Amino acid sequence: MAATPAADSRLLVIYASETGNAMDAAERVGRQAERGGCPAVDVLPMDSFDPSCLPSERFVVFVVSTTGQGDPPDSMKGFWRYLLKKNLGARWLEGVRYAVFGLGDSGYQKYNFAAKKLDKRLLHLGAEPIIQVGLGDDQHPSGYEGALDPWLLSLWESLNQTTPSLLPRMYDIINPDLSVLGDAKVEVIYHSSDKAQQDSNLLDFKNLIQRARSMSPSLQFYNNDKEPHYMLQMVSNRCLTKENSDRDVRHFELENPSSGITYQVGDALEILPSQSPSAVDSFIERCKLDPDCYITVRAKDRVKISKGSLLKDRIKLKTFVALTMDVASASPRRYFFEVMSFFATAEHEKEKLQYFASPEGRDDLYQYNQKEGRTILEVLDDFPSVQMPFEWLVQLTPPLKKRAFSISSSPLAKPNQIHLTVSIVSWRTPFKRMRRGLCSSWLAGLNPNEENLIPCWVHHGSLPPPHPSTPLILIGPGTGCAPFCAFVAERAAQSTSEATAPILFFFGCRNQENDFLYKDFWYAHAHDQGVLSSKNGGGFFVAFSRDQPQKVYVQHRIREQSARVWNLLKSGAAIYIAGSSTKMPADVTAALEEVICQETGCSEEEASIWLRKLERNGKFHTETWS
């Protein structure tokens, strides 16, 4: 296929991001290419690019993150399905030169799996790699940037050698001029104050959330950021762990005051947390902004709109900050420090910021910023001479993102409620500063006796609801038990009107006294004719890891119940695993392989193949989180 002149002189950067890191890395690729004089650079989210157009491109850089147990981000799934089409031949991408950079965590079993699979598939379709796939690792002392910096230098050097016209100012990439700052990509339009603008205060809160977040350029590429599905009221906030335990796990019950809630077991609930009003006020005061003025925010590359539309889309500045800009929990990106250096009037601050933004200062920045969990507000306070224009703050402040939680209730048992099992996140930084998770801490602080409407979205999770006739093997240590509360409650409700298959559930925690979550619930369903009772072919097995000298985990209980596990597997059981993303899923999988070997006499390789076949048939599901 003949290339157009535009394709020959264009660098296309496509990213698939889950938390924003891949988007940040992709934008950095684009900035450096522009700095090097590339005639045309486009940076796009993967789900906004038509994969059928890929053969017409000549130079493409892919930046993709890996989530969970080797899963691609949602924005990559459609693109990936297209690439797997059987009618795409081995020469489909002939003439396309590409590079892949992955963002992952080597603590996961399938480290950077999405990037590795993409690189392999592009090669099979006839594309030519510019350089080897780059693998960013969160475990690196500098985070993913520890691999990104040298990988980018190799990318530019390789492109400059083969196609010098693509980067006519290669010197400017290697030795950037830190005295030149381009324009912000965000435009903020300020509106004069009049009575008509007070109508914004009367807007329905759901609509106000949608308006603010659809206006934010940093949120425009996030999926499903429409108006909240529900505004739920918290009606129960109960601590599941012992009062003096070092862990605080809560059971929350949310209710829809106006109507029912539509969801199914295995679904996830996304919540938009509220930021501390005092933090929002402090940010606005520090940045010398007018909290009461009305603004319209948009990306500069958007089509010009009429004055009437601008007035319609206006919003109060304080409301926009509170609903879209994470000013007091998320850490800024490296580029934030580079831009700050241009607005620093104190020489020592300018030097420090330039050092942080340089390759030499990368490790020190990582220790100061990410490791310490510095927030935008804290960083700005540390550099008091910096006064950044609001356009740059909107562009570079991390967006206020929704948090997802597995639903731990059944719509059959609780038709107008959603239950959540949430660990209240807190940790100490290397400098012994206490940090708390924004959403979990906010939820923990809500009083069920007071009015508190929570913006919520229901989305399908990675654990599909099983048919009542399918036997289940559930493994969920710690808060991994959350979706299985829903599974067990659902099957109990189903059993009152139809025949249901048995369930084996393996639960694990540290201590029987401190963190045995939902103890009474499990035992109630394990007694008599309950869905977890041995009389019905089921079973409930718990591992207390720290109640004896030798650690005991769920994988030990699985091995102890080898015969029961195999009997259920050979009768068509589905396996569901939920919980920590570190060693647990791999250890549980190894234990299941041992069970198959022991009960059938097959080899380890045959047992592994057997489980992979189970996964392909939709009967082996994993949902993990860090």
Side-chain angles (χ1 to χ4, degrees), residues 55 121 142 257-258 275 309 330 338 382 412 488 604 609 618:
R121 183 58 179 161
S142 300
S258 55
Q275 302 189 80
S309 295
E338 183 179 328
D382 281 350
L412 284 180
V488 170
E604 288 182 19
I609 292 170

Side-chain angles (χ1 to χ4, degrees), residues 198-357:
Q198 303 311 312
D199 293 345
S200 296
N201 296 327
L202 303 177
L203 281 171
D204 176 76
F205 190 44
K206 284 172 67 175
N207 179 264
L208 193 61
I209 291 170
Q210 191 274 334
R211 173 181 290 194
R213 294 176 70 79
S214 63
M215 195 184 292
S216 168
S218 60
L219 286 164
Q220 63 180 305
F221 294 131
Y222 280 88
N223 290 335
N224 305 311
D225 231 338
K226 306 299 182 186
E227 184 177 288
H229 298 159
Y230 304 102
M231 299 296 293
L232 301 183
Q233 166 81 34
M234 181 180 287
V235 295
S236 178
N237 178 349
R238 178 164 56 92
C239 191
L240 296 174
T241 46
K242 202 168 182 178
E243 193 173 327
N244 60 356
S245 170
D246 61 349
R247 294 187 176 186
D248 183 0
V249 180
R250 301 290 180 102
H251 173 82
F252 299 122
E253 296 181 6
L254 311 180
E255 200 167 84
N256 190 352
S258 55
S259 60
I261 308 173
T262 302
Y263 71 100
Q264 58 185 10
V265 295
D267 281 352
L269 188 74
E270 289 188 328
I271 290 176
L272 181 68
S274 284
Q275 302 189 80
S276 160
S278 62
V280 173
D281 289 341
S282 295
F283 171 80
I284 289 173
E285 184 179 351
R286 164 63 183 84
C287 299
K288 298 180 180 177
L289 302 168
D290 178 1
D292 298 318
C293 75
Y294 283 81
I295 59 173
T296 299
V297 180
R298 63 183 183 182
K300 280 186 178 175
D301 57 2
R302 288 189 185 174
V303 177
K304 295 293 182 185
I305 52 180
S306 67
K307 186 177 179 181
S309 295
L310 285 175
L311 288 172
K312 182 182 175 184
D313 289 339
R314 72 195 183 284
I315 194 168
K316 188 179 280 192
L317 184 144
K318 182 176 179 178
T319 304
F320 180 83
V321 171
L323 293 175
T324 70
M325 299 169 67
D326 193 338
V327 300
S329 78
S331 295
R333 312 289 187 187
R334 183 171 163 185
Y335 187 46
F336 187 84
F337 293 86
E338 183 179 328
V339 174
M340 280 180 72
S341 71
F342 288 93
F343 298 102
T345 55
E347 195 57 37
H348 69 283
E349 291 183 15
K350 183 182 287 287
E351 289 176 2
K352 183 75 170 179
L353 289 163
Q354 287 178 343
Y355 171 69
F356 275 161

Side-chain angles (χ1 to χ4, degrees), residues 31-51:
R31 283 195 304 272
Q32 289 197 4
E34 288 173 350
R35 189 177 285 162
C38 185
V41 182
D42 285 312
V43 181
L44 301 172
M46 197 170 280
D47 55 1
S48 74
F49 179 78
D50 183 353

